[in-house]
């Protein structure tokens, strides 16, 4: 299904090129991404570059990252955890939207910092170092959706091979005003595709616990 949908998107986005060129794409299951195998321009000038075409996929993904991701596999896991706080929603947003302090993973985070400008909002990119066994591994995630005061989504763009899920995992934070005055509700969720050799139930439980622990951190 994903290949069919992407095929349609390729045609619509690159129809001007395809009128004059023959392009061969292959889908990489491990990275959930397309690569160009061959591009025959058939003498047409100019010929759009491979990098430009692949950039089109990135723009499509950034425009609607959640649906593009969840369509990629029927095996996608979506762990979620919610907690209520006796904290004003604006104060809670300021706390959760500080990417330098808000963690992706509760256990093992050694350090993290922002890699670029802006420090918050769409496009902000965070670098984290995690202790995995005796190794320190790097994780990079980028903000691909941001609604000030309410919610944001980051996507993991770089991760170690030892991670039990595929690249392009999503991390979503939603903050709402509570029913009582100066209270708020925070929901953390993820969208991940487990690797083939990983037990999905165990992974779901592990990620669920990670989200609960992150919420406990917010209470401290």
């Amino acid at each position: 299904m994903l290949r069919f949908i992407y095929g349609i998107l390729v045609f619509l986005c690159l129809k001007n090129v395809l009128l004059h060129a023959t392009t061969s794409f292959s889908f990489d299951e491990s990275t959930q991404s397309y690569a160009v195998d061959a591009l025959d321009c058939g003498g047409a000038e100019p010929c759009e570059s491979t990098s430009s075409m692949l950039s089109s996929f990135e723009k499509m993904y950034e425009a609607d990252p959640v649906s593009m991701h969840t369509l990629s596999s029927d095996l996608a896991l979506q762990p979620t955890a919610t907690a209520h706080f006796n904290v004003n929603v604006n104060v809670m947003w300021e706390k959760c939207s500080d990417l330098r302090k808000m963690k992706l993973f509760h256990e093992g985070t050694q350090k993290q910092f922002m890699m670029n400008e802006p420090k918050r909002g769409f496009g902000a990119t965070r670098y984290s170092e995690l202790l995995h066994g005796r190794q320190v591994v790097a994780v990079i995630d980028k903000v691909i959706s941001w609604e000030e005061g309410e919610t944001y989504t980051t996507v993991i763009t770089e991760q170690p091979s030892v991670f039990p899920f595929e690249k392009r995992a999503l991390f979503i934070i939603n903050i709402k005003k509570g029913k009582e005055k100066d209270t708020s509700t925070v929901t953390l969720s993820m969208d991940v595709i487990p690797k083939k050799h990983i037990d999905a139930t165990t992974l779901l439980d592990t990620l669920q616990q990670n989200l609960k622990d992150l919420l406990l951190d917010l209470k401290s």
Side-chain angles (χ1 to χ4, degrees):
M1 175 62 72
L2 177 62
R3 299 186 185 186
F4 175 74
I5 293 172
Y6 265 99
I8 294 175
L9 291 174
V10 171
F11 178 78
L12 292 176
C13 184
L14 306 174
K15 61 181 178 179
N16 291 331
V17 178
L18 294 176
L19 289 174
H20 304 285
T22 301
T23 310
S24 175
F25 293 91
S26 63
F27 185 74
D28 187 336
E29 294 285 355
S30 64
T31 61
Q32 296 294 311
S33 62
Y34 270 89
V36 176
D37 294 329
L39 178 62
D40 180 7
C41 294
E45 295 293 344
C47 180
E48 187 168 348
S49 67
T50 297
S51 60
S52 176
M53 285 189 288
L54 293 181
S55 176
S56 298
F57 282 115
E58 292 298 320
K59 291 178 181 178
M60 291 177 194
Y61 187 90
E62 290 179 354
D64 193 2
V66 177
S67 65
M68 292 287 279
H69 181 87
T70 52
L71 281 173
S72 59
S73 175
D74 293 334
L75 300 177
L77 304 177
Q78 296 170 325
T80 301
T82 298
H84 305 285
F85 298 85
N86 293 320
V87 179
N88 179 275
V89 66
N90 295 323
V91 174
M92 183 56 69
W93 171 256
E94 288 300 317
K95 189 173 185 177
C96 292
S97 63
D98 188 345
L99 295 168
R100 297 166 298 177
K101 297 179 180 179
M102 187 67 200
K103 298 177 182 178
L104 267 177
F105 301 100
H106 172 265
E107 186 175 351
T109 299
Q110 301 294 293
K111 66 178 181 179
Q112 58 189 45
F113 56 84
M114 303 309 295
M115 297 179 65
N116 65 345
E117 296 289 347
K119 300 296 185 184
R120 63 197 304 278
F122 183 84
T125 303
R126 172 173 51 188
Y127 174 93
S128 305
E129 286 188 356
L130 309 175
L131 186 62
H132 183 82
R134 296 183 178 181
Q135 290 182 312
V136 176
V137 297
V139 178
I140 297 175
D141 67 316
K142 178 180 180 181
V143 177
I144 55 174
S145 175
W146 186 281
E147 295 181 31
E148 184 65 28
E150 297 182 11
T151 182
Y152 66 88
T153 300
T154 75
V155 60
I156 297 178
T157 58
E158 297 293 337
Q159 67 182 47
S161 59
V162 294
F163 268 27
F165 49 81
E166 305 290 359
K167 288 182 181 179
R168 292 291 188 183
L170 301 178
F171 180 74
I172 306 111
I173 295 181
N174 285 284
I175 301 175
K176 294 183 178 180
K177 185 177 180 180
K179 294 182 179 180
E180 304 295 330
K181 183 179 179 181
D182 289 331
T183 63
S184 53
T185 299
V186 180
T187 300
L188 305 181
S189 58
M190 296 186 73
D191 190 307
V192 306
I193 300 174
K195 291 182 176 177
K196 293 181 179 179
H197 64 283
I198 296 298
D199 180 74
T201 301
T202 301
L203 177 58
L204 181 62
D205 290 343
T206 300
L207 294 176
Q208 195 93 31
Q209 186 60 53
N210 173 66
L211 297 179
K212 291 178 180 179
D213 291 338
L214 289 175
L215 288 172
L216 287 175
D217 280 350
L218 290 175
K219 289 182 178 291
S220 60

